[in-house]
């Protein structure tokens, strides 16, 4: 298709009915289909896409918005994909410009691969941090965790939402209420009857992804990871803020190998809100 024809194709909002087309687009670019993750993002977030007249999608992405009441305070962009047959023709740039205009000044964040980073820099995004992806089979060292953990219950959800808002700096209730159904495990750490951390493990192809990982300190984060690992036979994957050097070193000692490092980028704000010292890993890099 000529570039002039691509430029005339409209950007539209995606819905959960576009799940198969989005998964097909992932597969087209050599990514896993990740239908489970796409389903969450298309339900909890706002998808944007460009239809191919010959069928399928030319491009797609998802924005997950967070905030209290009717006020949107932060948007997380993820799953920015352009079909291989239409790559390097400016489609991704046009889609991203449409999204930036659609959110009308709302601060935006995203995790950028080295390949995608130049485009985001061109659009005004600034690097504010880095996250290292780890993956592998977790090997426990046989010691008892220093912080007790347990499976979360429905009664824990209000406390999890409050803690999450405090740590992330924005209210993420719409996506957190979906977490029990999305994840295979949600666990909490407690002290004196108060929840001081929580984490989830959700299925993604052959792995379990650990995220979110929110904890009072590194020892609490370790205990949560260990407790999740103890209840799955799948390899683990997670994306850890590189400032948490102790957790990264410990996870590597336990068998999780580094895969890649992505840039955490922002547009419209100098840095991510919240308390990074307790924010160890996102739910998914596509949704923050």
């Amino acid at each position: 298709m000529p570039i002039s024809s691509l430029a005339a194709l409209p950007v539209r909002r995606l819905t959960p009915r576009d799940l198969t087309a989005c998964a097909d687009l992932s597969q087209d670019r050599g990514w896993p289909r990740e239908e489970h993750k796409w389903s969450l993002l298309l339900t909890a977030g706002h998808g944007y896409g460009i239809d191919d007249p010959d069928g399928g999608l030319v491009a797609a992405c998802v924005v997950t918005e967070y905030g209290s009441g009717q006020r949107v305070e932060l948007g997380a962009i993820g799953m920015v994909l352009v079909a291989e047959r239409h790559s390097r023709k400016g489609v991704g740039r046009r889609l991203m410009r449409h999204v930036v205009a659609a959110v009308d000044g709302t601060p935006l964040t995203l995790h950028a691969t080295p390949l995608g980073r130049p485009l985001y820099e061109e659009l005004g995004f600034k690097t504010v941090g880095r996250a290292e992806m780890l993956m592998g089979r977790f090997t426990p060292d046989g010691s008892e965790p220093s912080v007790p953990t347990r499976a979360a219950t429905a009664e824990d959800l209000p406390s999890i939402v409050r803690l999450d808002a405090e740590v992330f700096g924005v209210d993420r209730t719409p996506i957190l209420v979906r977490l029990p159904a999305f994840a295979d495990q949600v666990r909490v750490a407690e002290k004196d009857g108060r929840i001081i951390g929580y984490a989830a493990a959700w299925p993604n192809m052959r792995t379990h992804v650990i995220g979110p990982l929110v904890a009072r300190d590194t020892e609490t984060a370790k205990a949560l990871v260990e407790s999740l690992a103890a209840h799955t036979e799948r390899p683990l994957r997670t994306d850890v803020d590189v400032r948490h050097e102790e957790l990264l070193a410990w996870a590597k000692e336990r068998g999780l190998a580094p895969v890649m490092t992505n840039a955490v980028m922002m547009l419209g704000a100098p840095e991510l809100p919240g308390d990074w010292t307790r924010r160890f890993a996102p739910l998914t890099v596509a949704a923050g």
Side-chain angles (χ1 to χ4, degrees):
M1 183 180 296
I3 292 176
S4 58
S5 298
L6 282 173
L9 296 175
V11 177
R12 69 170 175 90
R13 289 285 289 271
L14 302 177
T15 75
R17 292 191 297 274
D18 295 298
L19 173 61
T20 298
C22 290
D24 289 346
L25 185 58
S26 291
Q27 186 173 353
D28 174 78
R29 293 314 307 250
W31 289 20
R33 292 181 63 84
E34 297 188 304
E35 291 176 340
H36 185 59
K37 182 167 72 174
W38 271 114
S39 180
L40 174 72
L41 296 172
L42 290 171
T43 303
H46 302 300
Y48 294 86
I50 300 174
D51 289 314
D52 190 329
D54 296 325
L57 290 168
V58 171
C61 71
V62 179
V63 181
T64 309
E65 297 180 339
Y66 304 120
S68 53
Q70 298 299 312
R71 183 184 173 208
V72 179
E73 300 171 57
L74 179 69
I77 299 178
M79 309 303 282
V80 182
L81 289 167
V82 177
E84 177 64 33
R85 62 193 179 279
H86 298 303
S87 63
R88 296 173 294 278
K89 297 177 182 177
V91 180
R93 182 179 296 103
R94 184 163 79 88
L95 180 61
M96 285 295 299
R97 284 177 173 161
H98 178 94
V99 169
V100 170
V103 301
D104 193 25
T106 298
L108 294 170
T109 185
L110 54 79
H111 284 65
T113 64
L115 184 64
R117 184 173 168 180
L119 168 61
Y120 303 128
E121 289 177 336
E122 180 184 326
L123 295 169
F125 283 82
K126 306 293 184 184
T127 298
V128 298
R130 292 183 300 132
E132 185 171 10
M133 180 190 294
L134 304 176
M135 186 164 65
R137 291 197 175 276
F138 183 88
T139 304
D141 63 4
S143 63
E144 287 294 320
S146 59
V147 181
T149 68
R150 61 170 174 81
T153 68
E155 288 73 25
D156 294 320
L157 187 56
S159 296
I160 289 173
V161 169
R162 285 194 296 270
L163 174 62
D164 187 87
E166 182 182 326
V167 172
F168 276 82
V170 290
D171 187 336
R172 304 198 304 166
T173 298
I175 204 164
L176 292 179
V177 297
R178 293 175 167 87
L179 190 59
F182 177 69
D184 285 344
Q185 298 184 62
V186 181
R187 298 189 65 86
V188 296
E190 281 186 313
K191 182 177 182 181
D192 301 326
R194 184 172 63 90
I195 291 177
I196 59 172
Y198 84 97
W202 51 272
N204 189 325
M205 311 307 291
R206 67 183 186 89
T207 69
H208 266 129
V209 177
I210 293 181
L213 175 55
V214 172
R216 178 188 61 181
D217 51 34
T218 302
E219 289 305 309
T220 304
K222 290 179 182 178
L224 286 164
V225 171
E226 278 194 291
S227 65
L228 292 169
H231 292 83
T232 179
E233 295 183 355
R234 296 189 187 192
L236 300 180
R237 200 187 91 194
T238 191
D239 297 85
V240 178
D241 186 316
V242 296
R243 291 172 290 188
H244 291 295
E245 296 177 356
E246 183 181 348
L247 181 68
L248 282 168
W250 172 83
K252 292 171 185 177
E253 290 172 359
R254 301 275 74 78
L256 303 189
V259 177
M260 64 186 301
T261 300
N262 291 330
V264 181
M265 307 189 78
M266 286 290 304
L267 177 68
E271 60 185 0
L272 279 169
D275 179 4
W276 76 265
T277 66
R278 292 183 287 165
R279 184 178 59 230
F280 287 83
L283 190 158
T284 163
V285 296

